[in-house]
Amino acid sequence: MERNEMFHLTTVDSDPSSSEDALQHESFRCRHCGLPVPESLVDSRQRDQFCCSGCATAFAVITGCGLENYYKLRDALNARPSPARSRGSKYTTFDDAPFLAKHVVTTSAGLNRIEFVLSGLHCGACVWLIERLPRLAPGIVRAHANLARGTAVIEWQPERIKLSEIATWCDRLGYPPSPAGNRIHAHRFDAEHRRQLARLGLAGALAGNAMLAALANYCGVFDGISLEYARLFGWVSAGLGLVAVFGPGSVFFTNAWTALRARVPSMDIPIALGVGAGTLAGVIDTVTGTHDAYFDSLAVLVFLLLLGRYIKFLQMRRAADAMTLLQSITPRTALKKRGDGSFQEVSIESLQPNDIVQIPPGELIPADGTILEGRSTIDRSLITGESVGVSVGPGTDVPGGAINQSSPLTMRVLAVGMETRVGKLMTLVEDAVAQKPAVLALADRVSGWLVIAIVLLATLTMIWWLPSGGSTALRHTVALLIVACPCALGLATPLAFAVAQGKAARSGTLIRSADSIERLSGRGIIWLDKTGTITEGKLTLIQWMGDASVRSMVAAVERLSNHPIGKALTFETDLKADEFMNHPGLGVSAWVNGSNVLVGNLALMERHQVPNDRGLEREAHHWLAQGCSVVFVARDGRLVAAAALGDRIRPGSAETIKRLQSAGWIVGLLSGDDPGIVNRVAAMVGIPTERAIGGMVPEQKLSIIRDSISKEPTLMVGDGVNDSAALAAASVGIAVQGGAETALHAADVYLSRPGLEPLHDLISGSRRAMGVVYRNFAVSLTYNAVAVGLAMAGIMTPLIAAVLMPISSLTVTTLSLTGRSYEVCR
Amino acid sequence: MILIYIAVPLAILLGAAFVAAFVWAVGQGQYDDLDTPPVKILSDD
């Protein structure tokens, strides 16, 4: 229904979308993952039904090894269903010496150890299953899964089992493995995490004990305490406070010093100023025994600020982890021709120009090359953004990264690695990342002003109180420096962002850095990619004209074809097609129920001397003008129907764009596809024509983004390699589901739910998250202002500070935790 | 009240012992993964 509105076409006969709904047969659920089984895969002779061959394999392996407990466990945990993602690969490249050298370490016990990213590892039952690996495969000594990271560390005896076999076991269980990438990087993160946690623990203990010691003295103020014990507790408090300041707190001094030398405002400068002045004055007061000191406040300050920093670090680490997991891919392989004419699986890195490689249908083309044999269509949408498949034959040059769609191809490699089109685009992406201007985060901008304000106020206080004596003036100034410390500020921002990022991640949106939230909450321009973002990125049937009864015959024929047009036309039918023939570049033919059925373009019809039909051809012209692909259907030599196929607009795209526009964003369309198609799609989703730009090569996309970023905050939303440079250059680059890995690499945000709706959720969520941050700022600055006022008036005492500061921190913490930001996935 | 000169240092020493234990546990990697162990208690072997 939606599609008709979107394409302004009327269906001639029954609604074609009904066939799609019928594909999901509700009565059969996959025995392995519990998802509905597509009707075409329902096998009535079997007791257990599976939604894909991966699930069938995983089920067979699990039950065959006596691990049925997995299903009980999973049901008990109520885990979200997820189909087995087995690739069915043999992982032979995992045994290559360079691969082993890069990813495998030998432990002291003489075992080999690797960390695998296991795609699909998501619940306790998965962990249980993976940790049973030693029972399945003799030679594996230990398997240890990490649920949060989706990885497993596996140790094995190299003389008993090969890594490729281990990888195959993981794959057959439904978790295709890939090496966990940068081992050293992960190790550094772990070491830093431990250091920060230990520091935080120490700071917490010191703060607690310093407070206890100070409490004794504060109670003494009301109850009367002998001078001797007051001094004792003063010394205890000072000792603990000094350890806190120069132990865990030393990090603020080093950071402030670095910031000063680099001449950038940083929250650490006012902190170091306050803590430094407080410590100095406190030591003097304790030694002379004249006044109470602020050591308890200082220790608590150090602890809370370190807590804020720790939260920020955890969030960064989690985002970085998730990104590496998304990016880690199995080394890709190619089928290379050997001297004796046979083909061998080799890793893509070992390909050289002039090698001959074979590309089976459905596989990625491994490098730039020229076709030697075979005719097929290739999908270049990830590289160029074109939505329509391109026919190729001997002599055609094809880019690496395109997908071979219909039949096997043999090609001669022209360029590999960085010399390919994709390789050059990668260089562009890296340049764009390097040149991205750093935007000063709100907290740092505020702290810049804060430093100036604090120093000014401190000078004023000093001058004001000087007539009452130097020591009085100094005491009030020190009080001001301590209470003006942006304690709540340092805790509030990271906490609010961390909560927001966590909530976003649970609803399937990965935000790499907190700065993105700030930029997403503003206004500006959003450039959307068309293919795969606004549209579904694959061919679907848009309209059918003519005899509806032949549709099931066509479906029976096209079931046997793996051409994208075939996939768009097929649905479950009882009819069986025989003598299927593929006519490359033209179409297909077969016999169904005793009728000869031809499905293909006009040339196929002409070749089989099918008389033409004026009405159908006029309609076909109309469709072609709209940018659709057209296929004709002939039955027993007579033209009976025609179908329009196109890249359908995702339901809800137009509505989401309208909502974004009413939220104050300008929306534009940037596509590598034909300008005609781009304009039409833009008109359908409500983007003005002057901001719908088609026919863009990646370099042009990049220059448009650079141009627009110099005027206003610019978001770029895309999925392909062709968008990557633009994604990297934009204020915030947003990669959408199903994107190429270069796009993930370049993007700041990754939306794991398809379509544009998550984009709207992201933007409105960011606004709410920023709302929480502003509220925190307001509260925290109000407390500081009150405290500063008291200090300037000369009535601030360590006791008042000890009460005010925890209250202000508690308030902002509560506000951060309860503030609404991203809604958790419906 | 002279006892306080013994009690306070003792309390601090006790606290230091717990901090040391915590730092040791962190160093042993006890806090590296807080998500997986809770689901593992469900496995029966």
Side-chain angles (χ1 to χ4, degrees), chain A residues 144-160:
Chain A
H144 188 89
N146 182 323
L147 191 58
R149 301 189 61 215
T151 59
V153 174
I154 295 173
E155 289 179 0
W156 74 99
Q157 295 166 303
E159 63 280 0
R160 290 185 64 195

Side-chain angles (χ1 to χ4, degrees), chain A residues 766-787:
Chain A
S766 299
R767 288 204 174 155
R768 281 195 295 268
M770 268 327 267
V772 174
V773 170
Y774 285 130
R775 216 156 55 214
N776 281 343
F777 269 35
V779 170
S780 148
L781 288 177
T782 311
Y783 272 112
N784 279 7
V786 169

Side-chain angles (χ1 to χ4, degrees), chain A residues 552-614:
Chain A
S552 49
M553 298 174 102
V554 171
V557 176
E558 293 288 3
R559 262 178 92 176
L560 303 172
S561 151
N562 49 15
H563 191 277
I565 287 185
K567 285 188 190 135
L569 282 173
T570 196
F571 57 91
E572 179 56 23
T573 160
D574 291 335
L575 296 174
K576 292 271 178 282
D578 304 308
E579 291 177 49
F580 174 81
M581 256 179 75
N582 190 7
H583 309 272
L586 301 170
V588 291
S589 66
W591 286 84
V592 184
N593 265 2
S595 303
N596 182 325
V597 179
L598 287 172
V599 187
N601 56 17
L602 211 52
L604 180 77
M605 300 300 145
E606 277 161 11
R607 181 177 290 191
H608 288 78
Q609 278 119 32
V610 176
N612 52 15
D613 178 311
R614 279 280 170 77

Side-chain angles (χ1 to χ4, degrees), chain A residues 20-37:
Chain A
E20 220 176 62
D21 304 333
L23 277 176
Q24 304 257 310
H25 203 291
E26 279 301 319
S27 56
F28 290 108
R29 297 240 159 217
C30 178
R31 181 70 183 82
H32 177 69
C33 68
L35 291 173
V37 179

Side-chain angles (χ1 to χ4, degrees), chain A residues 69 77 124 127-128 131-132 135 144-148 193-194 197 201-202 205 228-229 232 236, chain B residues 1-2 4-5 8 12 19 22-23 26-27 29 31-33 35-36 39-40 42-45:
Chain A
N69 257 342
L77 289 170
V127 171
W128 181 84
E131 300 201 336
R132 294 296 159 295
R135 268 203 227 160
H144 188 89
N146 182 323
L147 191 58
H193 173 238
R194 290 179 187 180
L197 192 59
L202 179 61
E228 184 196 353
Y229 294 122
L232 168 71
V236 169
Chain B
M1 276 305 270
I2 198 76
I4 208 139
Y5 284 101
V8 167
I12 289 173
V19 169
F22 174 72
V23 171
V26 169
Y31 292 87
D32 285 359
D33 179 10
D35 300 88
T36 322
V39 300
K40 275 198 205 159
L42 289 167
S43 2
D44 41 7
D45 50 331

Side-chain angles (χ1 to χ4, degrees), chain A residues 19-224:
Chain A
S19 67
E20 220 176 62
D21 304 333
L23 277 176
Q24 304 257 310
H25 203 291
E26 279 301 319
S27 56
F28 290 108
R29 297 240 159 217
C30 178
R31 181 70 183 82
H32 177 69
C33 68
L35 291 173
V37 179
E39 204 182 319
S40 57
L41 289 176
V42 171
D43 187 345
S44 47
R45 288 161 297 174
Q46 298 292 326
R47 197 167 55 92
D48 299 322
Q49 304 292 343
F50 297 100
C51 68
C52 57
S53 63
C55 282
T57 313
F59 181 75
V61 172
I62 291 168
T63 51
C65 298
L67 295 174
E68 292 87 348
N69 257 342
Y70 165 75
Y71 295 105
K72 274 191 212 152
L73 195 56
R74 195 197 53 193
D75 293 342
L77 289 170
N78 232 338
R80 153 176 67 90
S82 158
R85 301 170 190 202
S86 316
R87 296 197 186 112
S89 163
K90 290 269 169 259
Y91 296 93
T92 45
T93 44
F94 278 31
D95 292 330
D96 292 350
F99 181 90
L100 292 173
K102 195 170 162 201
H103 299 288
V104 175
V105 282
T106 308
T107 64
S108 50
L111 300 173
N112 276 3
R113 179 196 288 160
I114 191 167
E115 186 173 17
F116 272 145
V117 172
L118 296 174
S119 136
L121 188 81
H122 72 287
C123 69
C126 302
V127 171
W128 181 84
L129 194 58
I130 284 299
E131 300 201 336
R132 294 296 159 295
L133 265 178
R135 268 203 227 160
L136 300 180
I140 299 182
V141 178
R142 215 169 66 92
H144 188 89
N146 182 323
L147 191 58
R149 301 189 61 215
T151 59
V153 174
I154 295 173
E155 289 179 0
W156 74 99
Q157 295 166 303
E159 63 280 0
R160 290 185 64 195
I161 192 166
K162 284 198 285 190
L163 185 56
S164 60
E165 295 171 73
I166 298 173
T168 313
W169 273 108
C170 296
D171 186 75
R172 292 175 67 202
L173 286 175
Y175 311 101
S178 42
N182 203 331
R183 215 175 54 231
I184 300 149
H185 193 65
H187 189 74
R188 226 174 34 215
F189 250 141
D190 266 351
E192 175 65 20
H193 173 238
R194 290 179 187 180
R195 202 159 45 234
Q196 291 220 12
L197 192 59
R199 197 160 60 194
L200 188 65
L202 179 61
L206 288 167
N209 284 295
M211 271 167 83
L212 279 177
L215 189 70
N217 267 355
Y218 295 145
C219 291
V221 171
F222 302 108
D223 288 353

